[in-house]
Amino acid sequence: MNRNEDILSTTEADQFGLTAAALLRQGTQSLPTGIKDRLYAARLKALSVKKPEKVRIAQPVLAGSSGSWSIGSRSLWDNVGWVAPLAVLVFGLIGIAQWQQDSRINDIAELDVALLTDDVPPDAYADSGFLGFLKNGPLAESDQESLSSAKTPS
């Protein structure tokens, strides 16, 4: 037997349910009152224990034909909630880059002010002898004595 033959279509299933309900209604009319009362109590007990079914209604994400901005109980902010942390990250990185650039500009400005207010003229910094002086530092005392003895004839 083919499995497709075992499955009822939606209309056939609805028709079967209506027919079964009608037959049960006719059968309960001929039952004694005590049995009817027990069946009614059992039905109420079964309905009180039954868990409610969750029905999911699919709605468009953005405003569509219904004009709704949600899917079920989820709002637009729940759907795009990941955007807020991403925006904070991007603006934070932009802020850090701006702060570093301002810091570099301030350092360069301090250096310019030091060069312009110093006693040494700016041309001296381009002199190769001055760069050697800065690398080696001031002459040691032994170097100064040897230079002074070399200058004075003995």
Side-chain angles (χ1 to χ4, degrees), residues 74-107:
R74 293 177 61 186
S75 70
L76 176 67
W77 297 113
D78 292 338
N79 292 333
V80 293
W82 57 270
V83 173
L86 183 65
V88 168
L89 177 67
V90 168
F91 286 120
L93 290 174
I94 290 171
I96 290 171
Q98 186 68 34
W99 174 72
Q100 286 180 342
Q101 185 178 8
D102 289 346
S103 177
R104 271 189 236 115
I105 290 171
N106 287 337
D107 290 344

PDB file of all heavy atoms in Angstrom, residues 74-107:
ATOM      1  N   ARG A  74       8.076  39.669  18.881  1.00  0.00           N
ATOM      2  CA  ARG A  74       9.391  40.316  18.803  1.00  0.00           C
ATOM      3  C   ARG A  74       9.248  41.688  18.165  1.00  0.00           C
ATOM      4  O   ARG A  74       8.646  41.836  17.124  1.00  0.00           O
ATOM      5  CB  ARG A  74      10.349  39.469  17.969  1.00  0.00           C
ATOM      6  CG  ARG A  74      10.682  38.149  18.630  1.00  0.00           C
ATOM      7  CD  ARG A  74      11.562  37.317  17.773  1.00  0.00           C
ATOM      8  NE  ARG A  74      12.817  38.015  17.525  1.00  0.00           N
ATOM      9  CZ  ARG A  74      13.737  37.555  16.708  1.00  0.00           C
ATOM     10  NH1 ARG A  74      13.552  36.445  16.073  1.00  0.00           N
ATOM     11  NH2 ARG A  74      14.846  38.215  16.526  1.00  0.00           N
ATOM     12  N   SER A  75       9.832  42.682  18.797  1.00  0.00           N
ATOM     13  CA  SER A  75       9.741  44.035  18.253  1.00  0.00           C
ATOM     14  C   SER A  75      10.909  44.292  17.298  1.00  0.00           C
ATOM     15  O   SER A  75      11.826  43.490  17.175  1.00  0.00           O
ATOM     16  CB  SER A  75       9.773  45.054  19.386  1.00  0.00           C
ATOM     17  OG  SER A  75      11.057  45.084  19.973  1.00  0.00           O
ATOM     18  N   LEU A  76      10.874  45.446  16.655  1.00  0.00           N
ATOM     19  CA  LEU A  76      11.936  45.823  15.727  1.00  0.00           C
ATOM     20  C   LEU A  76      13.267  45.922  16.456  1.00  0.00           C
ATOM     21  O   LEU A  76      14.302  45.534  15.940  1.00  0.00           O
ATOM     22  CB  LEU A  76      11.599  47.157  15.055  1.00  0.00           C
ATOM     23  CG  LEU A  76      12.664  47.733  14.135  1.00  0.00           C
ATOM     24  CD1 LEU A  76      12.824  46.830  12.920  1.00  0.00           C
ATOM     25  CD2 LEU A  76      12.325  49.130  13.709  1.00  0.00           C
ATOM     26  N   TRP A  77      13.236  46.423  17.691  1.00  0.00           N
ATOM     27  CA  TRP A  77      14.492  46.586  18.454  1.00  0.00           C
ATOM     28  C   TRP A  77      15.091  45.236  18.816  1.00  0.00           C
ATOM     29  O   TRP A  77      16.311  45.108  18.935  1.00  0.00           O
ATOM     30  CB  TRP A  77      14.254  47.422  19.701  1.00  0.00           C
ATOM     31  CG  TRP A  77      13.819  48.797  19.335  1.00  0.00           C
ATOM     32  CD1 TRP A  77      12.608  49.356  19.568  1.00  0.00           C
ATOM     33  CD2 TRP A  77      14.585  49.787  18.624  1.00  0.00           C
ATOM     34  NE1 TRP A  77      12.559  50.623  19.057  1.00  0.00           N
ATOM     35  CE2 TRP A  77      13.770  50.915  18.471  1.00  0.00           C
ATOM     36  CE3 TRP A  77      15.864  49.824  18.095  1.00  0.00           C
ATOM     37  CZ2 TRP A  77      14.199  52.059  17.818  1.00  0.00           C
ATOM     38  CZ3 TRP A  77      16.282  50.967  17.455  1.00  0.00           C
ATOM     39  CH2 TRP A  77      15.453  52.071  17.322  1.00  0.00           C
ATOM     40  N   ASP A  78      14.276  44.203  18.998  1.00  0.00           N
ATOM     41  CA  ASP A  78      14.811  42.869  19.246  1.00  0.00           C
ATOM     42  C   ASP A  78      15.461  42.316  17.990  1.00  0.00           C
ATOM     43  O   ASP A  78      16.459  41.610  18.058  1.00  0.00           O
ATOM     44  CB  ASP A  78      13.705  41.917  19.697  1.00  0.00           C
ATOM     45  CG  ASP A  78      13.175  42.263  21.070  1.00  0.00           C
ATOM     46  OD1 ASP A  78      13.901  42.937  21.822  1.00  0.00           O
ATOM     47  OD2 ASP A  78      12.031  41.869  21.376  1.00  0.00           O
ATOM     48  N   ASN A  79      14.902  42.644  16.835  1.00  0.00           N
ATOM     49  CA  ASN A  79      15.434  42.129  15.575  1.00  0.00           C
ATOM     50  C   ASN A  79      16.766  42.772  15.215  1.00  0.00           C
ATOM     51  O   ASN A  79      17.617  42.143  14.606  1.00  0.00           O
ATOM     52  CB  ASN A  79      14.435  42.350  14.439  1.00  0.00           C
ATOM     53  CG  ASN A  79      13.198  41.503  14.596  1.00  0.00           C
ATOM     54  OD1 ASN A  79      13.251  40.439  15.206  1.00  0.00           O
ATOM     55  ND2 ASN A  79      12.096  41.958  14.073  1.00  0.00           N
ATOM     56  N   VAL A  80      16.954  44.040  15.531  1.00  0.00           N
ATOM     57  CA  VAL A  80      18.190  44.737  15.176  1.00  0.00           C
ATOM     58  C   VAL A  80      18.974  45.120  16.430  1.00  0.00           C
ATOM     59  O   VAL A  80      19.732  46.081  16.419  1.00  0.00           O
ATOM     60  CB  VAL A  80      17.896  45.990  14.314  1.00  0.00           C
ATOM     61  CG1 VAL A  80      17.346  45.611  12.973  1.00  0.00           C
ATOM     62  CG2 VAL A  80      16.965  46.945  15.023  1.00  0.00           C
ATOM     63  N   GLY A  81      18.818  44.368  17.492  1.00  0.00           N
ATOM     64  CA  GLY A  81      19.506  44.648  18.756  1.00  0.00           C
ATOM     65  C   GLY A  81      21.017  44.519  18.658  1.00  0.00           C
ATOM     66  O   GLY A  81      21.740  45.085  19.469  1.00  0.00           O
ATOM     67  N   TRP A  82      21.505  43.812  17.694  1.00  0.00           N
ATOM     68  CA  TRP A  82      22.948  43.647  17.524  1.00  0.00           C
ATOM     69  C   TRP A  82      23.590  44.899  16.947  1.00  0.00           C
ATOM     70  O   TRP A  82      24.817  45.043  16.982  1.00  0.00           O
ATOM     71  CB  TRP A  82      23.244  42.441  16.640  1.00  0.00           C
ATOM     72  CG  TRP A  82      22.586  42.551  15.298  1.00  0.00           C
ATOM     73  CD1 TRP A  82      21.352  42.109  14.968  1.00  0.00           C
ATOM     74  CD2 TRP A  82      23.115  43.155  14.121  1.00  0.00           C
ATOM     75  NE1 TRP A  82      21.075  42.401  13.657  1.00  0.00           N
ATOM     76  CE2 TRP A  82      22.135  43.050  13.107  1.00  0.00           C
ATOM     77  CE3 TRP A  82      24.319  43.795  13.822  1.00  0.00           C
ATOM     78  CZ2 TRP A  82      22.330  43.545  11.835  1.00  0.00           C
ATOM     79  CZ3 TRP A  82      24.503  44.289  12.545  1.00  0.00           C
ATOM     80  CH2 TRP A  82      23.524  44.163  11.570  1.00  0.00           C
ATOM     81  N   VAL A  83      22.805  45.812  16.419  1.00  0.00           N
ATOM     82  CA  VAL A  83      23.346  47.022  15.796  1.00  0.00           C
ATOM     83  C   VAL A  83      23.909  47.969  16.855  1.00  0.00           C
ATOM     84  O   VAL A  83      24.933  48.612  16.635  1.00  0.00           O
ATOM     85  CB  VAL A  83      22.267  47.721  14.938  1.00  0.00           C
ATOM     86  CG1 VAL A  83      22.750  49.054  14.423  1.00  0.00           C
ATOM     87  CG2 VAL A  83      21.874  46.825  13.784  1.00  0.00           C
ATOM     88  N   ALA A  84      23.277  48.069  18.011  1.00  0.00           N
ATOM     89  CA  ALA A  84      23.711  49.005  19.056  1.00  0.00           C
ATOM     90  C   ALA A  84      25.136  48.711  19.533  1.00  0.00           C
ATOM     91  O   ALA A  84      25.976  49.624  19.557  1.00  0.00           O
ATOM     92  CB  ALA A  84      22.727  48.995  20.213  1.00  0.00           C
ATOM     93  N   PRO A  85      25.487  47.477  19.904  1.00  0.00           N
ATOM     94  CA  PRO A  85      26.879  47.227  20.308  1.00  0.00           C
ATOM     95  C   PRO A  85      27.875  47.477  19.173  1.00  0.00           C
ATOM     96  O   PRO A  85      28.983  47.961  19.417  1.00  0.00           O
ATOM     97  CB  PRO A  85      26.888  45.753  20.713  1.00  0.00           C
ATOM     98  CG  PRO A  85      25.482  45.399  20.981  1.00  0.00           C
ATOM     99  CD  PRO A  85      24.647  46.304  20.141  1.00  0.00           C
ATOM    100  N   LEU A  86      27.473  47.170  17.949  1.00  0.00           N
ATOM    101  CA  LEU A  86      28.355  47.415  16.812  1.00  0.00           C
ATOM    102  C   LEU A  86      28.595  48.913  16.633  1.00  0.00           C
ATOM    103  O   LEU A  86      29.728  49.341  16.383  1.00  0.00           O
ATOM    104  CB  LEU A  86      27.752  46.805  15.544  1.00  0.00           C
ATOM    105  CG  LEU A  86      28.607  46.916  14.280  1.00  0.00           C
ATOM    106  CD1 LEU A  86      29.886  46.116  14.438  1.00  0.00           C
ATOM    107  CD2 LEU A  86      27.825  46.420  13.091  1.00  0.00           C
ATOM    108  N   ALA A  87      27.547  49.716  16.774  1.00  0.00           N
ATOM    109  CA  ALA A  87      27.689  51.172  16.641  1.00  0.00           C
ATOM    110  C   ALA A  87      28.581  51.732  17.752  1.00  0.00           C
ATOM    111  O   ALA A  87      29.426  52.601  17.502  1.00  0.00           O
ATOM    112  CB  ALA A  87      26.320  51.838  16.675  1.00  0.00           C
ATOM    113  N   VAL A  88      28.421  51.232  18.980  1.00  0.00           N
ATOM    114  CA  VAL A  88      29.275  51.680  20.089  1.00  0.00           C
ATOM    115  C   VAL A  88      30.731  51.335  19.798  1.00  0.00           C
ATOM    116  O   VAL A  88      31.633  52.147  20.035  1.00  0.00           O
ATOM    117  CB  VAL A  88      28.797  51.044  21.414  1.00  0.00           C
ATOM    118  CG1 VAL A  88      29.804  51.247  22.519  1.00  0.00           C
ATOM    119  CG2 VAL A  88      27.443  51.612  21.816  1.00  0.00           C
ATOM    120  N   LEU A  89      30.970  50.151  19.271  1.00  0.00           N
ATOM    121  CA  LEU A  89      32.337  49.738  18.940  1.00  0.00           C
ATOM    122  C   LEU A  89      32.946  50.646  17.873  1.00  0.00           C
ATOM    123  O   LEU A  89      34.081  51.107  18.001  1.00  0.00           O
ATOM    124  CB  LEU A  89      32.350  48.285  18.468  1.00  0.00           C
ATOM    125  CG  LEU A  89      33.700  47.731  18.022  1.00  0.00           C
ATOM    126  CD1 LEU A  89      34.640  47.638  19.210  1.00  0.00           C
ATOM    127  CD2 LEU A  89      33.532  46.383  17.375  1.00  0.00           C
ATOM    128  N   VAL A  90      32.189  50.911  16.816  1.00  0.00           N
ATOM    129  CA  VAL A  90      32.702  51.743  15.720  1.00  0.00           C
ATOM    130  C   VAL A  90      32.991  53.155  16.216  1.00  0.00           C
ATOM    131  O   VAL A  90      34.068  53.716  15.967  1.00  0.00           O
ATOM    132  CB  VAL A  90      31.697  51.760  14.537  1.00  0.00           C
ATOM    133  CG1 VAL A  90      32.049  52.838  13.533  1.00  0.00           C
ATOM    134  CG2 VAL A  90      31.677  50.402  13.866  1.00  0.00           C
ATOM    135  N   PHE A  91      32.036  53.742  16.953  1.00  0.00           N
ATOM    136  CA  PHE A  91      32.259  55.101  17.455  1.00  0.00           C
ATOM    137  C   PHE A  91      33.386  55.139  18.484  1.00  0.00           C
ATOM    138  O   PHE A  91      34.133  56.112  18.574  1.00  0.00           O
ATOM    139  CB  PHE A  91      30.972  55.692  18.034  1.00  0.00           C
ATOM    140  CG  PHE A  91      29.990  56.097  16.986  1.00  0.00           C
ATOM    141  CD1 PHE A  91      28.724  55.528  16.939  1.00  0.00           C
ATOM    142  CD2 PHE A  91      30.324  57.032  16.019  1.00  0.00           C
ATOM    143  CE1 PHE A  91      27.813  55.896  15.964  1.00  0.00           C
ATOM    144  CE2 PHE A  91      29.426  57.406  15.041  1.00  0.00           C
ATOM    145  CZ  PHE A  91      28.164  56.837  15.008  1.00  0.00           C
ATOM    146  N   GLY A  92      33.550  54.068  19.255  1.00  0.00           N
ATOM    147  CA  GLY A  92      34.666  53.990  20.201  1.00  0.00           C
ATOM    148  C   GLY A  92      36.005  53.974  19.483  1.00  0.00           C
ATOM    149  O   GLY A  92      36.954  54.661  19.883  1.00  0.00           O
ATOM    150  N   LEU A  93      36.099  53.177  18.419  1.00  0.00           N
ATOM    151  CA  LEU A  93      37.346  53.119  17.656  1.00  0.00           C
ATOM    152  C   LEU A  93      37.646  54.460  16.978  1.00  0.00           C
ATOM    153  O   LEU A  93      38.805  54.892  16.928  1.00  0.00           O
ATOM    154  CB  LEU A  93      37.281  52.002  16.614  1.00  0.00           C
ATOM    155  CG  LEU A  93      37.298  50.581  17.175  1.00  0.00           C
ATOM    156  CD1 LEU A  93      37.079  49.571  16.060  1.00  0.00           C
ATOM    157  CD2 LEU A  93      38.578  50.297  17.918  1.00  0.00           C
ATOM    158  N   ILE A  94      36.611  55.113  16.477  1.00  0.00           N
ATOM    159  CA  ILE A  94      36.809  56.439  15.872  1.00  0.00           C
ATOM    160  C   ILE A  94      37.285  57.422  16.929  1.00  0.00           C
ATOM    161  O   ILE A  94      38.190  58.231  16.684  1.00  0.00           O
ATOM    162  CB  ILE A  94      35.504  56.915  15.189  1.00  0.00           C
ATOM    163  CG1 ILE A  94      35.228  56.073  13.944  1.00  0.00           C
ATOM    164  CG2 ILE A  94      35.586  58.392  14.824  1.00  0.00           C
ATOM    165  CD1 ILE A  94      33.864  56.308  13.326  1.00  0.00           C
ATOM    166  N   GLY A  95      36.700  57.360  18.119  1.00  0.00           N
ATOM    167  CA  GLY A  95      37.105  58.241  19.211  1.00  0.00           C
ATOM    168  C   GLY A  95      38.551  58.015  19.632  1.00  0.00           C
ATOM    169  O   GLY A  95      39.296  58.971  19.885  1.00  0.00           O
ATOM    170  N   ILE A  96      38.963  56.755  19.715  1.00  0.00           N
ATOM    171  CA  ILE A  96      40.349  56.438  20.091  1.00  0.00           C
ATOM    172  C   ILE A  96      41.312  56.951  19.028  1.00  0.00           C
ATOM    173  O   ILE A  96      42.359  57.523  19.350  1.00  0.00           O
ATOM    174  CB  ILE A  96      40.512  54.915  20.306  1.00  0.00           C
ATOM    175  CG1 ILE A  96      39.779  54.494  21.576  1.00  0.00           C
ATOM    176  CG2 ILE A  96      41.980  54.527  20.379  1.00  0.00           C
ATOM    177  CD1 ILE A  96      39.687  52.999  21.763  1.00  0.00           C
ATOM    178  N   ALA A  97      40.987  56.759  17.752  1.00  0.00           N
ATOM    179  CA  ALA A  97      41.858  57.248  16.678  1.00  0.00           C
ATOM    180  C   ALA A  97      41.971  58.772  16.730  1.00  0.00           C
ATOM    181  O   ALA A  97      43.071  59.325  16.557  1.00  0.00           O
ATOM    182  CB  ALA A  97      41.312  56.800  15.323  1.00  0.00           C
ATOM    183  N   GLN A  98      40.857  59.453  16.994  1.00  0.00           N
ATOM    184  CA  GLN A  98      40.879  60.917  17.089  1.00  0.00           C
ATOM    185  C   GLN A  98      41.727  61.375  18.274  1.00  0.00           C
ATOM    186  O   GLN A  98      42.497  62.322  18.175  1.00  0.00           O
ATOM    187  CB  GLN A  98      39.439  61.441  17.230  1.00  0.00           C
ATOM    188  CG  GLN A  98      39.321  62.937  17.199  1.00  0.00           C
ATOM    189  CD  GLN A  98      39.661  63.505  15.831  1.00  0.00           C
ATOM    190  OE1 GLN A  98      39.394  62.883  14.818  1.00  0.00           O
ATOM    191  NE2 GLN A  98      40.252  64.669  15.807  1.00  0.00           N
ATOM    192  N   TRP A  99      41.595  60.680  19.402  1.00  0.00           N
ATOM    193  CA  TRP A  99      42.373  61.030  20.594  1.00  0.00           C
ATOM    194  C   TRP A  99      43.878  60.837  20.332  1.00  0.00           C
ATOM    195  O   TRP A  99      44.699  61.672  20.721  1.00  0.00           O
ATOM    196  CB  TRP A  99      41.913  60.165  21.761  1.00  0.00           C
ATOM    197  CG  TRP A  99      42.744  60.340  22.987  1.00  0.00           C
ATOM    198  CD1 TRP A  99      42.772  61.411  23.831  1.00  0.00           C
ATOM    199  CD2 TRP A  99      43.695  59.403  23.497  1.00  0.00           C
ATOM    200  NE1 TRP A  99      43.670  61.190  24.822  1.00  0.00           N
ATOM    201  CE2 TRP A  99      44.263  59.966  24.650  1.00  0.00           C
ATOM    202  CE3 TRP A  99      44.123  58.144  23.088  1.00  0.00           C
ATOM    203  CZ2 TRP A  99      45.221  59.317  25.395  1.00  0.00           C
ATOM    204  CZ3 TRP A  99      45.070  57.506  23.838  1.00  0.00           C
ATOM    205  CH2 TRP A  99      45.609  58.088  24.980  1.00  0.00           C
ATOM    206  N   GLN A 100      44.254  59.739  19.660  1.00  0.00           N
ATOM    207  CA  GLN A 100      45.665  59.507  19.345  1.00  0.00           C
ATOM    208  C   GLN A 100      46.190  60.569  18.391  1.00  0.00           C
ATOM    209  O   GLN A 100      47.321  61.037  18.538  1.00  0.00           O
ATOM    210  CB  GLN A 100      45.857  58.118  18.741  1.00  0.00           C
ATOM    211  CG  GLN A 100      45.751  57.006  19.749  1.00  0.00           C
ATOM    212  CD  GLN A 100      45.944  55.649  19.120  1.00  0.00           C
ATOM    213  OE1 GLN A 100      45.835  55.489  17.905  1.00  0.00           O
ATOM    214  NE2 GLN A 100      46.225  54.652  19.950  1.00  0.00           N
ATOM    215  N   GLN A 101      45.396  60.961  17.418  1.00  0.00           N
ATOM    216  CA  GLN A 101      45.827  61.996  16.478  1.00  0.00           C
ATOM    217  C   GLN A 101      46.009  63.330  17.202  1.00  0.00           C
ATOM    218  O   GLN A 101      46.995  64.029  16.967  1.00  0.00           O
ATOM    219  CB  GLN A 101      44.810  62.136  15.354  1.00  0.00           C
ATOM    220  CG  GLN A 101      45.240  63.102  14.271  1.00  0.00           C
ATOM    221  CD  GLN A 101      44.219  63.171  13.141  1.00  0.00           C
ATOM    222  OE1 GLN A 101      43.136  62.619  13.226  1.00  0.00           O
ATOM    223  NE2 GLN A 101      44.576  63.867  12.086  1.00  0.00           N
ATOM    224  N   ASP A 102      45.091  63.677  18.096  1.00  0.00           N
ATOM    225  CA  ASP A 102      45.234  64.907  18.879  1.00  0.00           C
ATOM    226  C   ASP A 102      46.471  64.852  19.751  1.00  0.00           C
ATOM    227  O   ASP A 102      47.189  65.854  19.917  1.00  0.00           O
ATOM    228  CB  ASP A 102      43.991  65.150  19.744  1.00  0.00           C
ATOM    229  CG  ASP A 102      42.781  65.549  18.930  1.00  0.00           C
ATOM    230  OD1 ASP A 102      42.957  65.904  17.744  1.00  0.00           O
ATOM    231  OD2 ASP A 102      41.654  65.490  19.484  1.00  0.00           O
ATOM    232  N   SER A 103      46.766  63.682  20.321  1.00  0.00           N
ATOM    233  CA  SER A 103      47.949  63.521  21.163  1.00  0.00           C
ATOM    234  C   SER A 103      49.223  63.731  20.345  1.00  0.00           C
ATOM    235  O   SER A 103      50.165  64.402  20.803  1.00  0.00           O
ATOM    236  CB  SER A 103      47.943  62.128  21.795  1.00  0.00           C
ATOM    237  OG  SER A 103      49.099  61.916  22.554  1.00  0.00           O
ATOM    238  N   ARG A 104      49.270  63.161  19.132  1.00  0.00           N
ATOM    239  CA  ARG A 104      50.440  63.360  18.269  1.00  0.00           C
ATOM    240  C   ARG A 104      50.610  64.832  17.898  1.00  0.00           C
ATOM    241  O   ARG A 104      51.721  65.356  17.899  1.00  0.00           O
ATOM    242  CB  ARG A 104      50.288  62.530  16.995  1.00  0.00           C
ATOM    243  CG  ARG A 104      50.837  61.138  17.144  1.00  0.00           C
ATOM    244  CD  ARG A 104      50.875  60.412  15.810  1.00  0.00           C
ATOM    245  NE  ARG A 104      50.120  59.181  15.988  1.00  0.00           N
ATOM    246  CZ  ARG A 104      49.000  58.874  15.388  1.00  0.00           C
ATOM    247  NH1 ARG A 104      48.474  59.661  14.511  1.00  0.00           N
ATOM    248  NH2 ARG A 104      48.387  57.742  15.647  1.00  0.00           N
ATOM    249  N   ILE A 105      49.502  65.493  17.583  1.00  0.00           N
ATOM    250  CA  ILE A 105      49.571  66.914  17.231  1.00  0.00           C
ATOM    251  C   ILE A 105      50.073  67.733  18.414  1.00  0.00           C
ATOM    252  O   ILE A 105      50.913  68.628  18.252  1.00  0.00           O
ATOM    253  CB  ILE A 105      48.191  67.408  16.740  1.00  0.00           C
ATOM    254  CG1 ILE A 105      47.872  66.786  15.381  1.00  0.00           C
ATOM    255  CG2 ILE A 105      48.145  68.924  16.660  1.00  0.00           C
ATOM    256  CD1 ILE A 105      46.454  67.031  14.918  1.00  0.00           C
ATOM    257  N   ASN A 106      49.613  67.416  19.616  1.00  0.00           N
ATOM    258  CA  ASN A 106      50.068  68.140  20.809  1.00  0.00           C
ATOM    259  C   ASN A 106      51.557  67.905  21.066  1.00  0.00           C
ATOM    260  O   ASN A 106      52.286  68.824  21.451  1.00  0.00           O
ATOM    261  CB  ASN A 106      49.249  67.737  22.031  1.00  0.00           C
ATOM    262  CG  ASN A 106      47.851  68.304  21.988  1.00  0.00           C
ATOM    263  OD1 ASN A 106      47.595  69.303  21.319  1.00  0.00           O
ATOM    264  ND2 ASN A 106      46.938  67.646  22.699  1.00  0.00           N
ATOM    265  N   ASP A 107      52.034  66.670  20.869  1.00  0.00           N
ATOM    266  CA  ASP A 107      53.461  66.374  21.050  1.00  0.00           C
ATOM    267  C   ASP A 107      54.316  67.160  20.058  1.00  0.00           C
ATOM    268  O   ASP A 107      55.360  67.721  20.418  1.00  0.00           O
ATOM    269  CB  ASP A 107      53.730  64.876  20.887  1.00  0.00           C
ATOM    270  CG  ASP A 107      53.162  64.052  22.023  1.00  0.00           C
ATOM    271  OD1 ASP A 107      52.831  64.643  23.078  1.00  0.00           O
ATOM    272  OD2 ASP A 107      53.041  62.816  21.856  1.00  0.00           O
TER     273      ASP A 107
END
